[in-house]
């Protein structure tokens, strides 16, 4: 008997028929002789609606109350799925995050899981009851409900799998696995049988929303075997696993994009020591994460242009922080641009092969796409380009690296 955590995302529990479909899948897993705990998201669209309600009432809402609101979507689906399982003659019960509890830190709206007390859940599972846990939510140190950031049910599932020492964590979603790039944008995207934790971590953190980044971090740390598969068709998905389980290693294994970036250029900043610290220090103090940075060559030796990216959601805050310090920073103008996208190519093979970045630059040049900012790491190259070119760039790069399905 294997112990399996099954997680179902928003589309998979999008209406009552789909919830019944999920119940049948859970039943089939139980009938294979396995012990099952289930994690579910809110029905698709519900969390967006709840977030929107908060913003309509107050743009600068209290994050603790935001969590009280947005966590409710999952409470509905755990109850409905438990009822659907009971309808199929199975013993099942729902678990809210606070009922276990799933303990998190106090960063409301983007909390991190610190521990999960599985005592009660395990006692129930040992009696043959199926546990249905709400994803995305936990209990903060202030004894109030917390949520884990958008897409957080993936992390709930992997954390539960680690806490239960499960044999596998199956993430059921609306695509049948992890692809070389988003299959909704590139029709020729190829499904991968396996991908390493490291590559998936890069893909996720660079924008591939198929798994929340923290869920991959957690899987890597606790060596949880994660499989991503479809809740609508019966076929094996993609396994996220250790590098030594993968025989054939690709030079480039995937391409990701993120529309969540915005670019800021400070025109004519003084070119002297301490300026970068004076700019990026206050941004960090105000919780604005800066990602890519370029500083142009100074023409007159006195001033230079500095360009960097921040999350789109942080753009207004970043502008305010910089405008409040305009005299002190002595720049001439601030030029914001949110119509940008970050496109990244990722692959373990890059560690030992040169030329991956060059191919990227050349391919984009051939399509007439201008590169605004570049950043690299050991296993990825990212470029910032105008958002209008997203599809064109993804398709061209996908072909250039030989990733197209034959
Ligand atoms: P869920 O609601 O089940 O959590 P998500 O919408 O969060 O589902 O994640 C699934 C989506 O991720 C897919 O519909 C797909 O458009 C997108 N996606 C982005 N990059 C990839 C990729 N490389 N492979 C598969 N799906 C991807
Ligand atoms: N319902 C939450 C969201 O939409 C969590 C999740 O789906 O993973 O972000
Ligand atoms: Mg998701």
């Amino acid at each position: 008997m294997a112990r399996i955590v099954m997680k179902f995302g928003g589309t998979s529990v999008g209406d009552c028929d789909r919830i019944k479909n999920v119940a049948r899948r859970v039943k089939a897993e139980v009938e294979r002789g396995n012990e099952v705990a289930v994690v579910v998201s809110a029905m698709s669209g519900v969390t967006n609606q709840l977030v929107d309600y908060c913003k309509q009432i107050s743009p600068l809402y209290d994050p603790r109350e935001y969590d009280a609101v947005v966590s409710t979507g999952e409470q509905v689906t755990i109850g409905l799925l438990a009822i659907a399982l009971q309808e199929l003659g199975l013993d099942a019960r729902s678990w809210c995050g606070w009922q276990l509890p799933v303990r998190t830190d106090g960063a409301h709206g983007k909390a991190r899981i610190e521990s999960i007390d599985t005592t009660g859940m395990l006692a129930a599972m040992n009696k043959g009851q199926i546990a249905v846990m709400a994803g995305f939510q936990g209990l903060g140190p202030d004894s109030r409900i917390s949520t884990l950031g958008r897409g957080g049910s993936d992390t709930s599932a992997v954390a539960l799998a680690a806490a239960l020492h499960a044999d596998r964590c199956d993430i059921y979603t609306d695509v049948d696995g992890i692809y070389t790039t988003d299959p909704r944008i590139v029709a020729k995207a190829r499904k991968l049988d396996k991908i390493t934790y490291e590559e998936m971590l890069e893909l996720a953190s660079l924008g591939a929303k198929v798994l929340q980044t923290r869920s991959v971090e957690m899987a890597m740390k606790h060596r949880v075997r994660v499989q991503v598969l479809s809740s609508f068709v019966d076929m094996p998905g993609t396994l996220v696993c250790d590098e030594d389980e993968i025989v054939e290693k690709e030079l480039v294994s995937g391409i990701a994009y993120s529309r969540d970036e915005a670019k800021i250029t400070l025109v004519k900043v003084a070119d002297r020591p301490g300026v970068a610290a004076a700019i990026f220090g206050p941004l960090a103090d105000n919780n604005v994460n800066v990602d890519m940075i370029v500083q142009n060559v100074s023409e007159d030796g006195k001033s230079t242009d500095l360009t960097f990216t921040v999350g789109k959601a942080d753009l207004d805050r970043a502008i305010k922080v910089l405008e409040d310090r305009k005299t002190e920073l002595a720049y001439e103008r601030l030029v914001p641009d949110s119509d940008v996208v970050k496109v990244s190519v990722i692959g373990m093979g890059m560690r030992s092969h040169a030329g991956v970045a060059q191919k990227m630059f050349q391919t984009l040049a051939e399509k007439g796409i201008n590169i605004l900012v570049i950043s690299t790491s050991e296993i990825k190259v990212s470029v910032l380009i105008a958002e209008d070119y997203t599809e064109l760039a993804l398709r061209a790069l996908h072909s250039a690296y030989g990733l197209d399905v034959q």
Side-chain angles (χ1 to χ4, degrees), residues 7 10 41-42 47 74 136 149-154:
K7 179 259 169 178
S41 295
T47 311
E74 274 71 12
F136 186 50
R150 300 305 306 271
S153 296
D154 298 328

Side-chain angles (χ1 to χ4, degrees), residues 192 194-203 206 216 220 223 240-255 344-354 356 377-381 401 403:
L192 303 165
K194 291 180 178 174
I195 185 166
T196 63
Y197 291 115
E198 289 82 0
E199 285 167 325
M200 192 59 230
L201 192 57
E202 290 281 353
L203 266 181
L206 294 167
V216 188
M220 189 155 121
R223 287 303 186 250
V240 188
C241 59
D242 266 325
E243 196 178 349
D244 41 333
E245 281 191 56
I246 298 181
V247 191
E248 258 180 69
K249 294 190 182 71
E250 309 265 357
L251 187 57
V252 166
S253 54
I255 304 177
S344 311
V345 299
I346 296 128
M348 301 287 270
M350 265 182 231
R351 287 187 301 203
S352 47
H353 284 80
V356 172
S377 81
E378 211 187 9
I379 65 165
K380 66 106 178 164
V381 186
Y401 289 107
L403 296 173

Side-chain angles (χ1 to χ4, degrees), residues 7-11 40-48 50-51 66 70-71 73-74 135-137 147-156 212:
K7 179 259 169 178
F8 295 89
T11 322
V40 283
S41 295
M43 294 162 94
S44 60
V46 168
T47 311
N48 285 347
L50 295 168
V51 170
Y66 164 94
V70 301
S71 61
E74 274 71 12
F136 186 50
Q137 51 171 259
T147 63
L148 310 179
R150 300 305 306 271
S153 296
D154 298 328
T155 305
S156 307
Q212 198 197 34

Side-chain angles (χ1 to χ4, degrees), residues 274-342:
V275 169
I279 293 169
F280 298 118
L283 288 174
D285 293 342
N286 284 278
N287 266 323
V288 176
N289 280 332
V290 173
D291 178 17
M292 311 166 97
I293 304 176
V294 284
Q295 181 177 329
N296 294 343
V297 184
S298 169
E299 276 174 25
D300 54 6
K302 289 188 195 131
S303 65
T304 177
D305 294 351
L306 189 73
T307 297
F308 53 92
T309 63
V310 298
K312 226 173 227 170
D314 292 339
L315 180 61
D316 291 345
R317 197 148 26 104
I319 293 175
K320 179 151 192 338
V321 168
L322 296 168
E323 282 181 345
D324 286 351
R325 291 165 181 75
K326 184 154 194 256
T327 336
E328 178 194 335
L329 298 174
Y331 58 86
E332 191 185 282
R333 252 177 322 130
L334 183 159
V335 186
D337 179 2
S338 50
D339 299 326
V340 290
V341 63
K342 182 170 70 174

